[in-house]
Amino acid sequence: MKKEDLRIVFMGTPEFAVETLQALVENQYHVVAVVTQPDKPVGRHGSVLQPSAVKQYAVEHGLPVLQPEKMKDPAFVEQLRSYQANLQVVVAFRMLPEVVWAMPEYGTFNVHAALLPQYRGAAPINWAVINGETETGVTTFFLDHDIDTGRIIMKKHFPIPDDANVEYVYDGLMHLGAEICLETLEAIVAADGHPESIPQDSVIDGAPIKHAPKIFKETCEIDWQQTAKQVYDFIRGLSPYPGVWTTLENPEGKKTVLKIYKASKTGKKANAVRDIVVDGKHLYIAAADELLEIEELQLEGKKRMTAADFLNGMREKLKSDKIFQSK
């Protein structure tokens, strides 16, 4: 088989998927159509429709775009079939019904931002950092009936530095995802559409499977009863977006929400969990075992700023070394 023999439908929505779509186009793969989410209402009244990052790239490069509300819609299925694709590539998209993923002759493969079978689910990058992993990666696998359980084609590893946040890992995996997609396509071409793949059960080494469920606002609240290392990883795993938060209460009983974007471990023993301590231009919050220094934050209704700038603005209000009690 030659690469020109592949007729590819690409499916994806966010910026993460654009890198892979761009790699396909620039490497002269025949992308016959692109499937992405419907335009999203934005603005104060939702009167403006915002196309996905994938749609914007596809339109700029003259690729046909399909935006089904429902993947099982018979009209969409027939439209998809009309492109006569023999392979589908999925990156950061929704769950597909069998009528869609089983349609092409050579199947449908997904580029997943984790080392499967670990971190199956919607937010693998976040949860890898939250859990303090020192390594993650990307995996290509063929879709089947269950989410992220299909036969593995390839894996590529990516180290996670201790000071890296989820944005750093996201960017790294976005580039690595494009690389592994191209290598997977090369393997498919070399194997006449049927590359070697292995069942995920064969690579489970007895370690518990860690999952990566979708992130919600409630998921992002800090539990100060955890160790400083756990809270530190939690902050990294959700920074800069969506950002972790905690509720503060001042001596007068007024409560406010504080988002934290960057912190560092100090090794300084904490006196009481949740205490917030000010020392000069340094702001600390006590976890279960030690103080965390807060470096970047955002008070409700204010802009994101450094802790030093925040303290400068609060200087006249400070009456003691404890300005708030975290709740």
Side-chain angles (χ1 to χ4, degrees), residues 1-11 20-34 61-64 82-89 106 181-182 185 189:
M1 176 192 292
K2 299 178 181 179
K3 64 187 295 184
E4 293 79 10
D5 296 329
L6 289 179
R7 293 178 57 83
I8 299 171
V9 165
F10 182 87
M11 300 185 182
T20 302
L21 177 57
Q22 180 178 342
L24 298 186
V25 171
E26 292 181 352
N27 284 273
Q28 288 79 51
Y29 281 97
H30 189 189
V31 179
V32 296
V34 171
H61 291 80
L63 302 175
S82 71
Y83 286 98
Q84 299 180 325
N86 51 19
L87 179 70
Q88 291 175 156
V89 177
Y106 304 132
C181 181
L182 292 177
L185 288 172
V189 169

mmCIF file of all heavy atoms in Angstrom, residues 1-11 20-34 61-64 82-89 106 181-182 185 189:
data_model
loop_
_atom_site.group_PDB
_atom_site.id
_atom_site.type_symbol
_atom_site.label_atom_id
_atom_site.label_comp_id
_atom_site.label_asym_id
_atom_site.label_seq_id
_atom_site.Cartn_x
_atom_site.Cartn_y
_atom_site.Cartn_z
ATOM 1 N N MET A 1 0.833 -1.191 0.000
ATOM 2 C CA MET A 1 0.000 0.000 0.000
ATOM 3 C C MET A 1 0.878 1.256 0.000
ATOM 4 O O MET A 1 1.956 1.271 0.585
ATOM 5 C CB MET A 1 -0.918 0.007 1.240
ATOM 6 C CG MET A 1 -1.764 1.254 1.377
ATOM 7 S SD MET A 1 -2.557 1.396 2.997
ATOM 8 C CE MET A 1 -3.714 0.052 2.920
ATOM 9 N N LYS A 2 0.383 2.313 -0.642
ATOM 10 C CA LYS A 2 1.027 3.608 -0.605
ATOM 11 C C LYS A 2 0.210 4.556 0.265
ATOM 12 O O LYS A 2 -0.991 4.367 0.441
ATOM 13 C CB LYS A 2 1.147 4.187 -2.017
ATOM 14 C CG LYS A 2 1.984 3.346 -2.967
ATOM 15 C CD LYS A 2 2.004 3.968 -4.354
ATOM 16 C CE LYS A 2 2.821 3.131 -5.322
ATOM 17 N NZ LYS A 2 2.821 3.722 -6.681
ATOM 18 N N LYS A 3 0.860 5.593 0.792
ATOM 19 C CA LYS A 3 0.144 6.536 1.646
ATOM 20 C C LYS A 3 -1.012 7.198 0.895
ATOM 21 O O LYS A 3 -2.031 7.552 1.490
ATOM 22 C CB LYS A 3 1.097 7.597 2.210
ATOM 23 C CG LYS A 3 1.730 8.488 1.180
ATOM 24 C CD LYS A 3 2.786 9.410 1.791
ATOM 25 C CE LYS A 3 2.221 10.399 2.772
ATOM 26 N NZ LYS A 3 3.242 11.342 3.271
ATOM 27 N N GLU A 4 -0.857 7.324 -0.445
ATOM 28 C CA GLU A 4 -1.911 7.939 -1.244
ATOM 29 C C GLU A 4 -3.177 7.088 -1.287
ATOM 30 O O GLU A 4 -4.263 7.578 -1.649
ATOM 31 C CB GLU A 4 -1.415 8.185 -2.675
ATOM 32 C CG GLU A 4 -0.316 9.221 -2.794
ATOM 33 C CD GLU A 4 1.061 8.678 -2.425
ATOM 34 O OE1 GLU A 4 1.198 7.438 -2.253
ATOM 35 O OE2 GLU A 4 2.006 9.481 -2.294
ATOM 36 N N ASP A 5 -3.042 5.804 -0.902
ATOM 37 C CA ASP A 5 -4.200 4.913 -0.909
ATOM 38 C C ASP A 5 -5.124 5.149 0.287
ATOM 39 O O ASP A 5 -6.270 4.687 0.289
ATOM 40 C CB ASP A 5 -3.751 3.447 -0.905
ATOM 41 C CG ASP A 5 -2.990 3.081 -2.166
ATOM 42 O OD1 ASP A 5 -3.299 3.673 -3.226
ATOM 43 O OD2 ASP A 5 -2.095 2.220 -2.092
ATOM 44 N N LEU A 6 -4.626 5.846 1.303
ATOM 45 C CA LEU A 6 -5.438 6.107 2.489
ATOM 46 C C LEU A 6 -6.368 7.287 2.250
ATOM 47 O O LEU A 6 -5.952 8.356 1.800
ATOM 48 C CB LEU A 6 -4.548 6.396 3.701
ATOM 49 C CG LEU A 6 -3.763 5.226 4.281
ATOM 50 C CD1 LEU A 6 -2.913 5.701 5.458
ATOM 51 C CD2 LEU A 6 -4.697 4.107 4.731
ATOM 52 N N ARG A 7 -7.627 7.074 2.549
ATOM 53 C CA ARG A 7 -8.627 8.150 2.566
ATOM 54 C C ARG A 7 -9.039 8.326 4.033
ATOM 55 O O ARG A 7 -9.701 7.448 4.593
ATOM 56 C CB ARG A 7 -9.822 7.806 1.693
ATOM 57 C CG ARG A 7 -9.497 7.734 0.194
ATOM 58 C CD ARG A 7 -10.719 7.329 -0.622
ATOM 59 N NE ARG A 7 -11.857 8.220 -0.420
ATOM 60 C CZ ARG A 7 -12.029 9.386 -1.059
ATOM 61 N NH1 ARG A 7 -11.118 9.792 -1.934
ATOM 62 N NH2 ARG A 7 -13.097 10.120 -0.826
ATOM 63 N N ILE A 8 -8.634 9.432 4.621
ATOM 64 C CA ILE A 8 -8.732 9.600 6.071
ATOM 65 C C ILE A 8 -9.811 10.618 6.441
ATOM 66 O O ILE A 8 -9.868 11.720 5.878
ATOM 67 C CB ILE A 8 -7.385 10.076 6.654
ATOM 68 C CG1 ILE A 8 -6.296 9.034 6.381
ATOM 69 C CG2 ILE A 8 -7.502 10.362 8.141
ATOM 70 C CD1 ILE A 8 -4.891 9.520 6.726
ATOM 71 N N VAL A 9 -10.653 10.232 7.388
ATOM 72 C CA VAL A 9 -11.529 11.190 8.066
ATOM 73 C C VAL A 9 -10.895 11.488 9.419
ATOM 74 O O VAL A 9 -10.572 10.568 10.178
ATOM 75 C CB VAL A 9 -12.956 10.642 8.251
ATOM 76 C CG1 VAL A 9 -13.731 11.488 9.267
ATOM 77 C CG2 VAL A 9 -13.703 10.642 6.924
ATOM 78 N N PHE A 10 -10.699 12.756 9.705
ATOM 79 C CA PHE A 10 -10.106 13.186 10.975
ATOM 80 C C PHE A 10 -11.199 13.701 11.894
ATOM 81 O O PHE A 10 -12.065 14.474 11.472
ATOM 82 C CB PHE A 10 -9.072 14.282 10.741
ATOM 83 C CG PHE A 10 -8.390 14.738 12.009
ATOM 84 C CD1 PHE A 10 -7.260 14.083 12.468
ATOM 85 C CD2 PHE A 10 -8.892 15.807 12.739
ATOM 86 C CE1 PHE A 10 -6.637 14.491 13.652
ATOM 87 C CE2 PHE A 10 -8.273 16.228 13.913
ATOM 88 C CZ PHE A 10 -7.148 15.557 14.370
ATOM 89 N N MET A 11 -11.149 13.293 13.174
ATOM 90 C CA MET A 11 -12.137 13.739 14.150
ATOM 91 C C MET A 11 -11.437 14.338 15.368
ATOM 92 O O MET A 11 -10.572 13.695 15.975
ATOM 93 C CB MET A 11 -13.015 12.567 14.601
ATOM 94 C CG MET A 11 -13.779 11.901 13.475
ATOM 95 S SD MET A 11 -14.901 10.616 14.077
ATOM 96 C CE MET A 11 -15.581 10.008 12.528
ATOM 97 N N THR A 20 -2.090 17.525 15.308
ATOM 98 C CA THR A 20 -2.087 16.268 14.559
ATOM 99 C C THR A 20 -2.691 16.449 13.176
ATOM 100 O O THR A 20 -2.166 15.926 12.180
ATOM 101 C CB THR A 20 -2.843 15.184 15.337
ATOM 102 O OG1 THR A 20 -2.223 15.008 16.620
ATOM 103 C CG2 THR A 20 -2.822 13.863 14.586
ATOM 104 N N LEU A 21 -3.799 17.174 13.093
ATOM 105 C CA LEU A 21 -4.412 17.432 11.785
ATOM 106 C C LEU A 21 -3.435 18.168 10.875
ATOM 107 O O LEU A 21 -3.292 17.842 9.691
ATOM 108 C CB LEU A 21 -5.692 18.246 11.961
ATOM 109 C CG LEU A 21 -6.411 18.667 10.670
ATOM 110 C CD1 LEU A 21 -6.763 17.458 9.814
ATOM 111 C CD2 LEU A 21 -7.657 19.481 11.003
ATOM 112 N N GLN A 22 -2.751 19.141 11.427
ATOM 113 C CA GLN A 22 -1.751 19.887 10.649
ATOM 114 C C GLN A 22 -0.644 18.964 10.142
ATOM 115 O O GLN A 22 -0.194 19.084 8.999
ATOM 116 C CB GLN A 22 -1.163 21.006 11.503
ATOM 117 C CG GLN A 22 -0.116 21.850 10.788
ATOM 118 C CD GLN A 22 0.410 22.981 11.659
ATOM 119 O OE1 GLN A 22 -0.199 23.349 12.650
ATOM 120 N NE2 GLN A 22 1.546 23.544 11.272
ATOM 121 N N ALA A 23 -0.221 18.028 10.996
ATOM 122 C CA ALA A 23 0.821 17.085 10.589
ATOM 123 C C ALA A 23 0.348 16.221 9.422
ATOM 124 O O ALA A 23 1.126 15.935 8.496
ATOM 125 C CB ALA A 23 1.225 16.209 11.776
ATOM 126 N N LEU A 24 -0.915 15.811 9.440
ATOM 127 C CA LEU A 24 -1.448 15.013 8.329
ATOM 128 C C LEU A 24 -1.442 15.810 7.035
ATOM 129 O O LEU A 24 -1.031 15.317 5.979
ATOM 130 C CB LEU A 24 -2.872 14.550 8.649
ATOM 131 C CG LEU A 24 -3.070 13.643 9.858
ATOM 132 C CD1 LEU A 24 -4.518 13.173 9.938
ATOM 133 C CD2 LEU A 24 -2.150 12.443 9.803
ATOM 134 N N VAL A 25 -1.912 17.045 7.117
ATOM 135 C CA VAL A 25 -1.985 17.891 5.918
ATOM 136 C C VAL A 25 -0.587 18.173 5.379
ATOM 137 O O VAL A 25 -0.338 18.052 4.162
ATOM 138 C CB VAL A 25 -2.728 19.200 6.247
ATOM 139 C CG1 VAL A 25 -2.625 20.176 5.076
ATOM 140 C CG2 VAL A 25 -4.197 18.921 6.576
ATOM 141 N N GLU A 26 0.333 18.549 6.246
ATOM 142 C CA GLU A 26 1.674 18.929 5.796
ATOM 143 C C GLU A 26 2.476 17.741 5.292
ATOM 144 O O GLU A 26 3.446 17.922 4.538
ATOM 145 C CB GLU A 26 2.413 19.629 6.935
ATOM 146 C CG GLU A 26 1.812 20.994 7.271
ATOM 147 C CD GLU A 26 2.550 21.722 8.375
ATOM 148 O OE1 GLU A 26 3.453 21.095 9.002
ATOM 149 O OE2 GLU A 26 2.241 22.900 8.628
ATOM 150 N N ASN A 27 2.077 16.528 5.685
ATOM 151 C CA ASN A 27 2.766 15.331 5.201
ATOM 152 C C ASN A 27 2.012 14.648 4.061
ATOM 153 O O ASN A 27 2.231 13.476 3.772
ATOM 154 C CB ASN A 27 3.006 14.362 6.355
ATOM 155 C CG ASN A 27 4.155 14.799 7.245
ATOM 156 O OD1 ASN A 27 5.309 14.477 6.985
ATOM 157 N ND2 ASN A 27 3.840 15.556 8.293
ATOM 158 N N GLN A 28 1.117 15.417 3.435
ATOM 159 C CA GLN A 28 0.410 15.002 2.215
ATOM 160 C C GLN A 28 -0.455 13.750 2.380
ATOM 161 O O GLN A 28 -0.600 12.954 1.442
ATOM 162 C CB GLN A 28 1.392 14.790 1.046
ATOM 163 C CG GLN A 28 1.985 16.076 0.481
ATOM 164 C CD GLN A 28 3.107 16.643 1.314
ATOM 165 O OE1 GLN A 28 4.056 15.920 1.647
ATOM 166 N NE2 GLN A 28 3.015 17.908 1.678
ATOM 167 N N TYR A 29 -1.019 13.577 3.571
ATOM 168 C CA TYR A 29 -2.029 12.529 3.706
ATOM 169 C C TYR A 29 -3.364 13.067 3.196
ATOM 170 O O TYR A 29 -3.648 14.272 3.314
ATOM 171 C CB TYR A 29 -2.144 12.067 5.159
ATOM 172 C CG TYR A 29 -1.042 11.108 5.553
ATOM 173 C CD1 TYR A 29 0.090 11.559 6.212
ATOM 174 C CD2 TYR A 29 -1.128 9.755 5.229
ATOM 175 C CE1 TYR A 29 1.118 10.692 6.560
ATOM 176 C CE2 TYR A 29 -0.106 8.878 5.570
ATOM 177 C CZ TYR A 29 1.011 9.342 6.231
ATOM 178 O OH TYR A 29 2.028 8.473 6.553
ATOM 179 N N HIS A 30 -4.154 12.178 2.619
ATOM 180 C CA HIS A 30 -5.416 12.586 1.992
ATOM 181 C C HIS A 30 -6.526 12.612 3.048
ATOM 182 O O HIS A 30 -7.150 11.592 3.331
ATOM 183 C CB HIS A 30 -5.775 11.625 0.856
ATOM 184 C CG HIS A 30 -6.934 12.101 0.035
ATOM 185 N ND1 HIS A 30 -7.539 11.327 -0.928
ATOM 186 C CD2 HIS A 30 -7.613 13.282 0.039
ATOM 187 C CE1 HIS A 30 -8.532 12.000 -1.476
ATOM 188 N NE2 HIS A 30 -8.593 13.180 -0.904
ATOM 189 N N VAL A 31 -6.753 13.790 3.620
ATOM 190 C CA VAL A 31 -7.834 13.977 4.588
ATOM 191 C C VAL A 31 -9.082 14.369 3.809
ATOM 192 O O VAL A 31 -9.176 15.491 3.290
ATOM 193 C CB VAL A 31 -7.480 15.054 5.634
ATOM 194 C CG1 VAL A 31 -8.636 15.235 6.620
ATOM 195 C CG2 VAL A 31 -6.196 14.677 6.375
ATOM 196 N N VAL A 32 -10.038 13.448 3.710
ATOM 197 C CA VAL A 32 -11.209 13.687 2.864
ATOM 198 C C VAL A 32 -12.287 14.484 3.577
ATOM 199 O O VAL A 32 -13.146 15.107 2.934
ATOM 200 C CB VAL A 32 -11.800 12.356 2.344
ATOM 201 C CG1 VAL A 32 -10.792 11.654 1.443
ATOM 202 C CG2 VAL A 32 -12.234 11.447 3.495
ATOM 203 N N ALA A 33 -12.272 14.479 4.924
ATOM 204 C CA ALA A 33 -13.258 15.254 5.692
ATOM 205 C C ALA A 33 -12.800 15.358 7.142
ATOM 206 O O ALA A 33 -11.991 14.545 7.618
ATOM 207 C CB ALA A 33 -14.638 14.607 5.633
ATOM 208 N N VAL A 34 -13.328 16.361 7.817
ATOM 209 C CA VAL A 34 -13.036 16.595 9.226
ATOM 210 C C VAL A 34 -14.352 16.647 9.994
ATOM 211 O O VAL A 34 -15.297 17.328 9.577
ATOM 212 C CB VAL A 34 -12.261 17.917 9.412
ATOM 213 C CG1 VAL A 34 -12.141 18.276 10.889
ATOM 214 C CG2 VAL A 34 -10.879 17.819 8.779
ATOM 215 N N HIS A 61 -7.880 25.526 5.401
ATOM 216 C CA HIS A 61 -7.158 24.666 4.450
ATOM 217 C C HIS A 61 -8.100 23.932 3.491
ATOM 218 O O HIS A 61 -7.709 22.964 2.833
ATOM 219 C CB HIS A 61 -6.278 23.671 5.218
ATOM 220 C CG HIS A 61 -5.128 24.338 5.919
ATOM 221 N ND1 HIS A 61 -5.274 24.993 7.116
ATOM 222 C CD2 HIS A 61 -3.822 24.476 5.559
ATOM 223 C CE1 HIS A 61 -4.104 25.503 7.475
ATOM 224 N NE2 HIS A 61 -3.213 25.211 6.555
ATOM 225 N N GLY A 62 -9.331 24.404 3.416
ATOM 226 C CA GLY A 62 -10.253 23.900 2.410
ATOM 227 C C GLY A 62 -10.715 22.472 2.618
ATOM 228 O O GLY A 62 -11.064 21.781 1.646
ATOM 229 N N LEU A 63 -10.735 22.008 3.861
ATOM 230 C CA LEU A 63 -11.180 20.641 4.144
ATOM 231 C C LEU A 63 -12.670 20.630 4.478
ATOM 232 O O LEU A 63 -13.136 21.479 5.237
ATOM 233 C CB LEU A 63 -10.393 20.063 5.326
ATOM 234 C CG LEU A 63 -8.868 20.017 5.168
ATOM 235 C CD1 LEU A 63 -8.225 19.546 6.467
ATOM 236 C CD2 LEU A 63 -8.488 19.095 4.017
ATOM 237 N N PRO A 64 -13.428 19.686 3.929
ATOM 238 C CA PRO A 64 -14.848 19.589 4.267
ATOM 239 C C PRO A 64 -15.034 19.345 5.767
ATOM 240 O O PRO A 64 -14.304 18.563 6.369
ATOM 241 C CB PRO A 64 -15.323 18.377 3.458
ATOM 242 C CG PRO A 64 -14.324 18.230 2.362
ATOM 243 C CD PRO A 64 -13.018 18.675 2.937
ATOM 244 N N SER A 82 -20.437 8.685 2.678
ATOM 245 C CA SER A 82 -20.275 9.156 1.299
ATOM 246 C C SER A 82 -18.838 9.556 0.984
ATOM 247 O O SER A 82 -18.455 9.615 -0.192
ATOM 248 C CB SER A 82 -21.206 10.344 1.033
ATOM 249 O OG SER A 82 -20.758 11.517 1.719
ATOM 250 N N TYR A 83 -18.031 9.828 2.003
ATOM 251 C CA TYR A 83 -16.634 10.202 1.768
ATOM 252 C C TYR A 83 -15.745 8.983 1.514
ATOM 253 O O TYR A 83 -14.571 9.138 1.170
ATOM 254 C CB TYR A 83 -16.099 11.021 2.941
ATOM 255 C CG TYR A 83 -16.634 12.435 2.947
ATOM 256 C CD1 TYR A 83 -17.708 12.779 3.753
ATOM 257 C CD2 TYR A 83 -16.077 13.403 2.121
ATOM 258 C CE1 TYR A 83 -18.215 14.079 3.753
ATOM 259 C CE2 TYR A 83 -16.574 14.700 2.108
ATOM 260 C CZ TYR A 83 -17.648 15.032 2.924
ATOM 261 O OH TYR A 83 -18.154 16.307 2.911
ATOM 262 N N GLN A 84 -16.277 7.800 1.723
ATOM 263 C CA GLN A 84 -15.594 6.542 1.400
ATOM 264 C C GLN A 84 -14.193 6.468 2.019
ATOM 265 O O GLN A 84 -13.234 6.031 1.385
ATOM 266 C CB GLN A 84 -15.505 6.361 -0.117
ATOM 267 C CG GLN A 84 -16.864 6.284 -0.791
ATOM 268 C CD GLN A 84 -16.768 6.097 -2.287
ATOM 269 O OE1 GLN A 84 -15.862 6.621 -2.947
ATOM 270 N NE2 GLN A 84 -17.697 5.329 -2.851
ATOM 271 N N ALA A 85 -14.105 6.891 3.269
ATOM 272 C CA ALA A 85 -12.827 6.795 3.983
ATOM 273 C C ALA A 85 -12.524 5.337 4.293
ATOM 274 O O ALA A 85 -13.427 4.552 4.600
ATOM 275 C CB ALA A 85 -12.891 7.600 5.274
ATOM 276 N N ASN A 86 -11.256 4.977 4.235
ATOM 277 C CA ASN A 86 -10.877 3.623 4.654
ATOM 278 C C ASN A 86 -10.128 3.636 5.988
ATOM 279 O O ASN A 86 -9.686 2.604 6.482
ATOM 280 C CB ASN A 86 -10.056 2.893 3.580
ATOM 281 C CG ASN A 86 -8.875 3.723 3.087
ATOM 282 O OD1 ASN A 86 -8.437 4.666 3.750
ATOM 283 N ND2 ASN A 86 -8.359 3.365 1.909
ATOM 284 N N LEU A 87 -10.017 4.830 6.601
ATOM 285 C CA LEU A 87 -9.389 4.956 7.913
ATOM 286 C C LEU A 87 -9.897 6.233 8.588
ATOM 287 O O LEU A 87 -10.093 7.251 7.922
ATOM 288 C CB LEU A 87 -7.861 5.030 7.781
ATOM 289 C CG LEU A 87 -7.060 5.180 9.084
ATOM 290 C CD1 LEU A 87 -7.128 3.898 9.914
ATOM 291 C CD2 LEU A 87 -5.606 5.531 8.791
ATOM 292 N N GLN A 88 -10.116 6.158 9.904
ATOM 293 C CA GLN A 88 -10.484 7.341 10.672
ATOM 294 C C GLN A 88 -9.467 7.553 11.790
ATOM 295 O O GLN A 88 -9.019 6.590 12.425
ATOM 296 C CB GLN A 88 -11.897 7.207 11.257
ATOM 297 C CG GLN A 88 -12.960 7.238 10.181
ATOM 298 C CD GLN A 88 -14.365 6.997 10.687
ATOM 299 O OE1 GLN A 88 -15.329 7.413 10.060
ATOM 300 N NE2 GLN A 88 -14.507 6.297 11.787
ATOM 301 N N VAL A 89 -9.094 8.824 12.012
ATOM 302 C CA VAL A 89 -8.151 9.197 13.062
ATOM 303 C C VAL A 89 -8.870 10.126 14.030
ATOM 304 O O VAL A 89 -9.464 11.125 13.612
ATOM 305 C CB VAL A 89 -6.918 9.909 12.464
ATOM 306 C CG1 VAL A 89 -5.973 10.364 13.578
ATOM 307 C CG2 VAL A 89 -6.195 9.004 11.480
ATOM 308 N N TYR A 106 -10.120 -0.077 7.382
ATOM 309 C CA TYR A 106 -8.963 -0.267 8.250
ATOM 310 C C TYR A 106 -9.220 0.188 9.689
ATOM 311 O O TYR A 106 -8.289 0.250 10.488
ATOM 312 C CB TYR A 106 -7.742 0.462 7.685
ATOM 313 C CG TYR A 106 -7.407 0.054 6.274
ATOM 314 C CD1 TYR A 106 -7.149 1.005 5.290
ATOM 315 C CD2 TYR A 106 -7.366 -1.298 5.911
ATOM 316 C CE1 TYR A 106 -6.843 0.631 3.993
ATOM 317 C CE2 TYR A 106 -7.071 -1.682 4.613
ATOM 318 C CZ TYR A 106 -6.822 -0.722 3.650
ATOM 319 O OH TYR A 106 -6.526 -1.106 2.357
ATOM 320 N N CYS A 181 1.074 9.836 15.666
ATOM 321 C CA CYS A 181 0.064 9.628 14.626
ATOM 322 C C CYS A 181 0.731 9.349 13.283
ATOM 323 O O CYS A 181 0.345 8.420 12.570
ATOM 324 C CB CYS A 181 -0.848 10.851 14.526
ATOM 325 S SG CYS A 181 -2.149 10.661 13.289
ATOM 326 N N LEU A 182 1.739 10.138 12.947
ATOM 327 C CA LEU A 182 2.443 9.919 11.686
ATOM 328 C C LEU A 182 3.133 8.556 11.661
ATOM 329 O O LEU A 182 3.095 7.849 10.641
ATOM 330 C CB LEU A 182 3.473 11.030 11.456
ATOM 331 C CG LEU A 182 2.920 12.434 11.197
ATOM 332 C CD1 LEU A 182 4.060 13.432 11.057
ATOM 333 C CD2 LEU A 182 2.019 12.460 9.971
ATOM 334 N N LEU A 185 0.514 5.908 11.123
ATOM 335 C CA LEU A 185 0.095 5.865 9.725
ATOM 336 C C LEU A 185 1.133 5.163 8.861
ATOM 337 O O LEU A 185 0.785 4.389 7.954
ATOM 338 C CB LEU A 185 -0.159 7.282 9.213
ATOM 339 C CG LEU A 185 -1.415 7.965 9.761
ATOM 340 C CD1 LEU A 185 -1.450 9.425 9.334
ATOM 341 C CD2 LEU A 185 -2.673 7.245 9.303
ATOM 342 N N VAL A 189 0.421 1.847 6.585
ATOM 343 C CA VAL A 189 0.775 1.746 5.168
ATOM 344 C C VAL A 189 1.688 0.544 4.923
ATOM 345 O O VAL A 189 1.471 -0.254 3.994
ATOM 346 C CB VAL A 189 1.451 3.045 4.693
ATOM 347 C CG1 VAL A 189 2.057 2.855 3.299
ATOM 348 C CG2 VAL A 189 0.457 4.197 4.691
#
